Amino acid sequence: MVESDTSKLPKEELANLKNYASGLLKTVREPLLVLTVNQNVVAYNANFEKKFKISEKEEGVSVFNFNQKQLDTAEFREILKELQNGEKSISDRIVALHFSENTKKKFSVNASLLSLPATNPLILINFKRLKSIGRLSRQEKVFNRIVDNILSNAPAAICILRGPEHTFEVANENYLKLIGNRNIIGKTVKEALPEVGNQGFIDLLDTVYSTGEPYIGNELAINLQDKKGEFKNSFLNFVYEPTRNKKGKIDGVFVHAIDVTEQVLARKKIEENEDRLKEVIDAVPAIIWITNDQGESTFLNKNWYSYTGQKVEAAKVFGWLETIHPEDYDGAKTSFLEAQKERKPYSSTFRLQSAKGDYRWVMDKGSPRFDANGEYEGMIGTVIDVHDEKIKENLVREKEHRMQGIVKEATVATAIYTGIDMNIELANDAMLKLWGKDTSVIGKRLAQALPELDGQPFLELLRNVYRTGETYWGKEDKVDLLIDGEMQTGFYNFTYKPLRDKNGEIYGILNMAIDVTESVKSKMLLKESEFHFRQMADLMPGMVSKTDARGNDIYFNKNWLDFTGQASENLKKIGWVEFIHPDEKQTYLEAWENCLDTGCDLEMQLRLKNKEGKYIWHLSRCEAVKEDDGSIKMWIAANTEIDKIKEEEKRKEEFLKMVSHELKTPVTSIKGYVQLLLSLLKKQGEAEASNLPLKPSLERINHQVSRLTRLISEILDLSRIRENQLELKKEEFNLNELVAETIQDINYTNTQHKIDLESEVQAMVVADRDRIGQVIINLIINAIKYSPGSLNINVKIVKKASDKIKVIIKDYGIGISTENHKKIFKRFYRVGVKSEETYSGFGIGLYLANEIMERHNGEIEVKSKLGEGSEFSFILDAAQITS
């Protein structure tokens, strides 16, 4: 507690405090002392000065130093401390003060904190002299002592009310606590406890006061205000007993009250809980039972009766035992009676007869019940159907037995170690073979069974797994084992997995291992092969490179580095695609993306820029290297210089173009004259020229001229395609009619083969009629050319989809091997045959047909096997398809 003086206060504030204090002192007659909140004396009135014998004026000093420390007592300090801690007022506090060395006087002290505007609060202390104990008679002293003792130690709330207004005269600590420690002495009930005015208690007091008849209330509810001003419901057992004066006249009411709120609320809670418990017991999906202290059944919820089908009367006392399976009866009964006798929890599993008559496994659990005094009341328990779990448990046990057998027979090396010492509890034949040991090692410590592991990391790895519970995965780890007396090195993929018991504690480790020695050695060989590959690639004349599965460059041979003038790492960063000529770059990238998505091979002619900045023609080939499962492992690409070949092709094309133009005019003239002669011969009649083979000769000449004309047209078309000048003149026409007309024209010049036409649908298409006719002619002529041993050609028109039409040309000739299916559509490519005379041609017909179909957004398909004939077909968008 801080003791200070008022000299530290501003003069203006000190003056204000003294003015307020002076005003208060003039109106109060009883001894009154005024202090600051710092416990310094501000002022005191004349009565105080007289009662406390103030010899000289003292203001501004600490109250504990005031008047020779007269007020420096523990009781007075406690009053001021309570005010400092927030107490607004203190009433009737007894304080003994010093008046001489041997004299103490007792005062009843009332103190309060007075808040003032614009300045610090003041502490007002009123002193009322108590009658000296020494002046009381011996009888009064004894009586007062007894009353004080009763009021202080009584467990009840006690007060005495005086007069018809029921004014509080006495109230013990329990009563004050009950009403929130309010200042009630000298106040009426209506003034002190206004909230009880409409609760009937004042009426009861009036009745007791007027009639003299006591009133006893049991568990009556009362709503009282606490210190915070909040209302609180309480329940009281109380007595209103009238008191009488010496003349026997009623002069007050003695109140004796006991707060039974906790008991009432607890009882109500119990009653509510009991009601709810009964509802819950019948609602829970389990059987609940209760017995008395003799073990006799006193309650079974409705689930028991619905589950067993037993009647209520039959289940009473020990009747419930009759539903237990005969084989389990004695054990279940004994377990229950022992637990009942020893008053301890118990658990028992047995088969119980259901309402359907069959027996199902159940678990019966019970616990003893005791009342508040610790007296045994009986047992309470539950019965839960565990039939399915019991069956599963039996299955699990059987499975565990089988599992051990499976582990022993498993081809994967498997072992189980227990304890931190890694005792070998189980090792199957595969593991024993891997170790090079026999069954004698089972039961030994791993370090003892395999001493060669000393110096290798595996024993420490096992102990770490045992300590941490973290599984260890070994991948291609090297292990040295003593097998057949010889140290051998192997490589293994293995796991160390912790084994836990039902409490989650680690008790052992499961070890499974796979021998990957051959695989590791293969990888080593592969690395060696990779080294040789790089050496070979650097010696190759072409430019060889490798990419990963997604096309990222990972290797370039020396020729690539020499060609570009770039270092290997820099070329990987740039990428060789940056060296492709702009005219071919986009086409290549699109084709490359398609290959990455589909895994197809890529072949393309393109120009690459060398270190001098010159573009050189190359044939670029790229092929995927695949795993056994078909997934792409990497891509290998080769770029071969074909600049000279391209120049030769260009000269060849220019020559053919020149020849075709030079030949076209005379051939056209020859064809015209032949057709003229044939028409004249027809008019004159065959009889006149019968002696001369004019007609057959002219027809053969016409046939050969037609072939030559078609060849010249193809050569010209080849040049147009090369120069991107092949024009399409689209029109709408009937595809069926075009196919029929084309077959008719071919039959006119080729009478040996039989060409059959089958039309499943009629189709109108929008396309270049002559170019589509050219495709049909090429496909049918090829079918005839490559079918020397078969004279049948089948042509079929079918519906491919709702808006597509398909024309199929099938022959039964020599067929085409699978590796040539894509190559036959390249320029100048001809399938290798035994006789060049039989299968003559330049190898441009299918190339032209494929180009024409691509320009129509169509496609050509081929199905063929060597020696089994071929089926070529082309697909077009249809403007209309009818049946």
Side-chain angles (χ1 to χ4, degrees):
M1 185 176 293
V2 179
E3 296 179 10
S4 60
D5 56 45
T6 57
S7 61
K8 295 181 181 180
L9 293 175
K11 292 182 178 180
E12 183 179 350
E13 187 173 340
L14 183 59
N16 288 336
L17 290 174
K18 288 184 176 181
N19 289 335
Y20 279 115
S22 298
L24 291 169
L25 294 173
K26 292 176 181 177
T27 60
V28 179
R29 298 184 63 186
E30 293 179 345
L32 179 66
L33 177 66
V34 182
L35 307 178
T36 67
V37 289
N38 293 323
Q39 303 164 354
N40 299 316
V41 177
V42 177
Y44 43 86
N45 63 1
N47 206 350
F48 181 87
E49 186 176 350
K50 178 181 178 181
K51 290 286 186 184
F52 285 85
K53 299 180 180 179
I54 304 299
S55 58
E56 57 183 49
K57 282 284 184 179
E58 289 185 275
E59 290 181 357
V61 298
S62 170
V63 70
F64 303 116
N65 294 326
F66 178 69
N67 201 27
Q68 299 179 351
K69 298 184 179 180
Q70 189 178 31
L71 299 174
D72 188 9
T73 66
E75 295 94 336
F76 192 73
R77 282 182 175 269
E78 183 63 28
I79 291 171
L80 296 183
K81 183 178 180 181
E82 289 181 22
L83 289 174
Q84 273 195 335
N85 291 338
E87 196 70 42
K88 294 295 183 181
S89 62
I90 295 174
S91 303
D92 300 325
R93 188 69 61 85
I94 307 302
V95 176
L97 300 177
H98 303 282
F99 277 79
S100 65
E101 283 189 25
N102 300 320
T103 306
K104 280 188 178 181
K105 296 180 181 180
K106 286 190 176 183
F107 292 85
S108 174
V109 175
N110 292 315
S112 63
L113 197 63
L114 178 64
S115 296
L116 301 176
T119 187
N120 287 322
L122 291 175
I123 298 174
L124 307 182
I125 306 174
N126 171 265
F127 295 85
K128 183 179 180 181
R129 176 71 187 278
L130 295 179
K131 184 178 180 181
S132 174
I133 294 176
R135 297 176 185 175
L136 296 177
S137 66
R138 184 173 180 278
Q139 185 178 3
E140 286 177 325
K141 291 178 182 179
V142 172
F143 177 79
N144 287 339
R145 190 162 51 250
I146 292 171
V147 170
D148 286 342
N149 188 44
I150 291 172
L151 291 177
S152 299
N153 296 314
I158 297 172
C159 72
I160 297 173
L161 304 175
R162 290 298 179 198
E165 296 298 324
H166 315 301
T167 301
F168 283 101
E169 183 179 64
V170 175
N172 72 347
E173 291 287 336
N174 285 331
Y175 192 89
L176 294 174
K177 183 179 179 181
L178 176 67
I179 63 171
N181 292 314
R182 296 184 231 183
N183 184 12
I184 60 172
I185 303 300
K187 297 180 181 179
T188 66
V189 172
K190 190 177 293 187
E191 292 171 341
L193 306 174
E195 65 268 29
V196 303
N198 59 354
Q199 297 184 49
F201 293 97
I202 294 177
D203 294 337
L204 289 175
L205 288 170
D206 289 340
T207 302
V208 171
Y209 191 89
S210 61
T211 64
E213 296 292 329
Y215 178 83
I216 298 173
N218 289 315
E219 297 182 359
L220 288 185
I222 184 170
N223 200 9
L224 293 171
Q225 225 174 351
D226 59 15
K227 288 182 179 180
K228 298 178 181 179
E230 297 177 357
F231 285 92
K232 178 183 176 182
N233 282 320
S234 300
F235 293 90
L236 303 175
N237 287 344
F238 64 90
V239 176
Y240 288 167
E241 183 74 35
T243 61
R244 301 177 186 272
N245 57 21
K246 294 179 180 179
K247 296 180 180 181
K249 186 179 179 181
I250 296 173
D251 62 355
V253 177
F254 175 80
V255 179
H256 181 281
I258 298 175
D259 189 344
V260 293
T261 304
E262 290 185 7
Q263 297 92 309
V264 172
L265 292 178
R267 190 186 72 252
K268 288 187 176 183
K269 189 70 175 177
I270 291 171
E271 291 172 354
E272 290 175 4
N273 288 342
E274 286 179 351
D275 293 338
R276 290 178 184 173
L277 181 61
K278 289 179 181 178
E279 294 176 2
V280 170
I281 286 175
D282 280 333
V284 293
I287 296 168
I288 297 178
W289 52 265
I290 299 174
T291 66
N292 59 19
D293 58 349
Q294 300 300 314
E296 299 170 343
S297 175
T298 58
F299 173 79
L300 285 162
N301 72 341
K302 66 179 183 180
N303 288 323
W304 169 270
Y305 302 108
S306 60
Y307 186 91
T308 63
Q310 195 177 31
K311 301 299 182 183
V312 175
E313 290 300 320
K316 287 183 177 180
V317 190
F318 293 103
W320 61 274
L321 289 167
E322 301 303 320
T323 59
I324 298 175
H325 192 286
E327 295 177 4
D328 305 331
Y329 180 88
D330 291 337
K333 183 178 180 180
T334 301
S335 297
F336 173 75
L337 292 177
E338 285 180 357
Q340 159 68 24
K341 181 180 179 181
E342 297 177 15
R343 301 176 181 181
K344 66 178 183 179
Y346 95 104
S347 177
S348 178
T349 303
F350 49 81
R351 285 165 289 179
L352 191 66
Q353 189 174 33
S354 73
K356 296 179 180 179
D358 60 335
Y359 286 94
R360 294 180 62 84
W361 285 100
V362 297
M363 178 178 288
D364 186 15
K365 285 188 174 183
S367 299
R369 295 184 300 122
F370 299 93
D371 63 16
N373 299 320
E375 296 294 326
Y376 178 68
E377 292 185 325
M379 302 279 284
I380 182 171
T382 60
V383 178
I384 301 173
D385 187 313
V386 294
H387 188 78
D388 294 336
E389 288 79 1
K390 188 72 173 179
I391 299 301
K392 287 178 183 177
E393 182 183 337
N394 293 336
L395 289 174
V396 167
R397 288 178 181 171
E398 185 178 349
K399 284 181 180 178
E400 286 179 352
H401 178 72
R402 291 179 181 176
M403 187 61 69
Q404 281 202 341
I406 291 171
V407 168
K408 289 180 180 178
E409 299 297 327
T411 56
V412 176
T414 306
I416 294 176
Y417 317 123
T418 57
I420 192 67
D421 293 331
M422 301 300 140
N423 299 303
I424 303 172
E425 183 174 299
L426 175 67
N428 67 356
D429 292 341
M431 184 62 85
L432 293 173
K433 182 179 179 182
L434 185 151
W435 289 339
K437 304 294 187 289
D438 56 28
T439 55
S440 63
V441 299
I442 295 176
K444 295 181 179 179
R445 292 182 296 107
L446 186 63
Q448 180 186 1
L450 280 78
E452 62 267 30
L453 293 180
D454 186 27
Q456 300 185 60
F458 306 105
L459 291 172
E460 183 56 34
L461 287 173
L462 283 164
R463 284 190 284 268
N464 186 60
V465 172
Y466 191 90
R467 287 192 293 265
T468 65
E470 296 179 359
T471 301
Y472 177 82
W473 301 83
K475 184 173 177 61
E476 299 180 357
D477 283 14
K478 178 184 174 184
V479 185
D480 293 325
L481 293 170
L482 187 64
I483 300 174
D484 297 330
E486 184 179 343
M487 192 68 76
Q488 298 183 19
T489 298
F491 298 88
Y492 301 90
N493 290 342
F494 63 91
T495 58
Y496 292 157
K497 182 177 178 62
L499 299 175
R500 300 177 185 271
D501 58 23
K502 63 181 181 180
N503 298 319
E505 298 294 329
I506 296 173
Y507 70 88
I509 293 176
L510 173 66
N511 175 203
M512 300 184 76
I514 299 175
D515 190 342
V516 293
T517 304
E518 293 300 323
S519 174
V520 172
K521 289 181 177 178
S522 296
K523 287 182 180 179
M524 291 179 178
L525 290 173
L526 185 61
K527 289 182 179 178
E528 188 177 350
S529 299
E530 178 77 11
F531 174 73
H532 291 315
F533 166 78
R534 291 175 181 266
Q535 285 185 319
M536 291 173 60
D538 285 340
L539 294 173
M540 291 178 66
M543 297 187 295
V544 179
S545 62
K546 286 199 308 184
T547 68
D548 61 19
R550 290 308 307 158
N552 301 306
D553 295 314
I554 55 177
Y555 169 75
F556 292 97
N557 73 342
K558 186 175 182 298
N559 287 331
W560 256 114
L561 306 180
D562 293 341
F563 181 82
T564 60
Q566 299 286 336
S568 177
E569 291 303 317
N570 196 39
L571 187 55
K572 290 178 187 177
K573 185 177 179 181
I574 298 171
W576 73 271
V577 174
E578 294 303 314
F579 294 87
I580 299 175
H581 193 283
D583 291 349
E584 291 96 43
K585 187 175 181 180
Q586 187 58 37
T587 304
Y588 177 84
L589 288 174
E590 291 174 358
W592 179 226
E593 285 297 325
N594 180 57
C595 290
L596 288 175
D597 293 336
T598 63
C600 65
D601 296 340
L602 186 150
E603 182 174 316
M604 183 178 174
Q605 294 181 10
L606 44 78
R607 285 167 287 180
L608 296 172
K609 184 171 66 174
N610 65 13
K611 58 187 176 183
E612 285 84 20
K614 182 181 178 181
Y615 284 99
I616 308 296
W617 278 102
H618 285 76
L619 176 62
S620 181
R621 291 191 178 97
C622 190
E623 190 170 315
V625 178
K626 298 182 178 180
E627 302 280 8
D628 294 338
D629 61 359
S631 61
I632 296 174
K633 181 179 181 181
M634 69 178 77
W635 295 84
I636 297 179
N639 287 278
T640 306
E641 185 178 333
I642 57 169
D643 208 53
K644 292 181 180 179
I645 296 173
K646 292 291 288 184
E647 290 178 2
E648 290 177 2
E649 279 187 3
K650 185 177 180 181
R651 288 195 294 270
K652 182 178 178 181
E653 288 173 358
E654 289 174 352
F655 171 74
L656 290 174
K657 184 177 181 182
M658 179 192 69
V659 170
S660 65
H661 278 289
E662 292 298 325
L663 290 176
K664 189 172 184 181
T665 301
V667 167
T668 304
S669 298
I670 293 170
K671 185 173 179 66
Y673 283 116
V674 169
Q675 290 177 346
L676 176 61
L677 290 172
L678 284 171
S679 63
L680 292 173
L681 184 62
K682 187 174 182 182
K683 289 179 181 179
Q684 291 180 2
E686 296 181 3
E688 298 178 8
S690 59
N691 295 326
L692 297 173
L694 293 175
K695 185 178 179 181
S697 297
L698 290 172
E699 285 178 349
R700 290 178 66 83
I701 292 170
N702 187 50
H703 174 65
Q704 295 301 323
V705 169
S706 296
R707 289 183 60 199
L708 186 56
T709 302
R710 189 172 70 253
L711 178 59
I712 292 168
S713 296
E714 288 177 349
I715 292 171
L716 288 172
D717 286 342
L718 192 63
S719 296
R720 294 189 185 102
I721 291 171
R722 176 73 177 172
E723 297 170 3
N724 201 22
Q725 294 178 354
L726 186 66
E727 296 181 357
L728 299 179
K729 297 179 181 179
K730 292 187 178 182
E731 59 180 305
E732 186 172 336
F733 61 90
N734 188 301
L735 181 63
N736 300 68
E737 292 178 359
L738 176 61
V739 174
E741 290 173 7
T742 305
I743 292 173
Q744 186 178 359
D745 291 342
I746 294 172
N747 282 334
Y748 181 70
T749 58
N750 189 310
T751 57
Q752 293 181 351
H753 285 75
K754 181 183 178 184
I755 304 173
D756 295 325
L757 173 61
E758 180 185 350
S759 297
E760 292 185 357
V761 292
Q762 293 290 320
M764 298 296 292
V765 297
V766 177
D768 188 320
R769 196 176 193 278
D770 291 338
R771 295 298 181 188
I772 299 301
Q774 189 177 346
V775 173
I776 298 169
I777 291 171
N778 274 326
L779 294 180
I780 295 177
I781 293 300
N782 273 0
I784 292 171
K785 184 194 298 186
Y786 293 101
S787 302
S790 175
L791 301 178
N792 292 322
I793 306 295
N794 297 121
V795 181
K796 193 174 184 179
I797 303 173
V798 299
K799 183 180 178 181
K800 174 68 175 176
S802 61
D803 58 347
K804 292 186 182 294
I805 195 74
K806 184 175 184 180
V807 179
I808 305 169
I809 295 92
K810 182 174 178 61
D811 67 63
Y812 303 91
I814 63 171
I816 306 169
S817 61
T818 305
E819 61 268 20
N820 286 320
H821 283 188
K822 291 183 179 179
K823 296 177 181 178
I824 57 177
F825 294 103
K826 295 180 180 179
R827 284 185 305 167
F828 309 124
Y829 185 84
R830 297 172 60 237
V831 178
V833 293
K834 294 180 180 179
S835 175
E836 290 291 337
E837 293 180 359
T838 306
Y839 309 114
S840 58
F842 284 99
I844 60 176
L846 287 176
Y847 169 75
L848 289 172
N850 190 50
E851 289 290 332
I852 290 169
M853 291 310 302
E854 284 186 358
R855 280 165 171 74
H856 281 85
N857 295 321
E859 57 181 311
I860 293 183
E861 295 178 347
V862 59
K863 296 178 182 178
S864 181
K865 287 186 179 180
L866 201 61
E868 297 183 11
S870 303
E871 180 182 293
F872 283 83
S873 57
F874 66 87
I875 301 167
L876 273 175
D877 291 335
Q880 182 180 355
I881 301 175
T882 57
S883 301

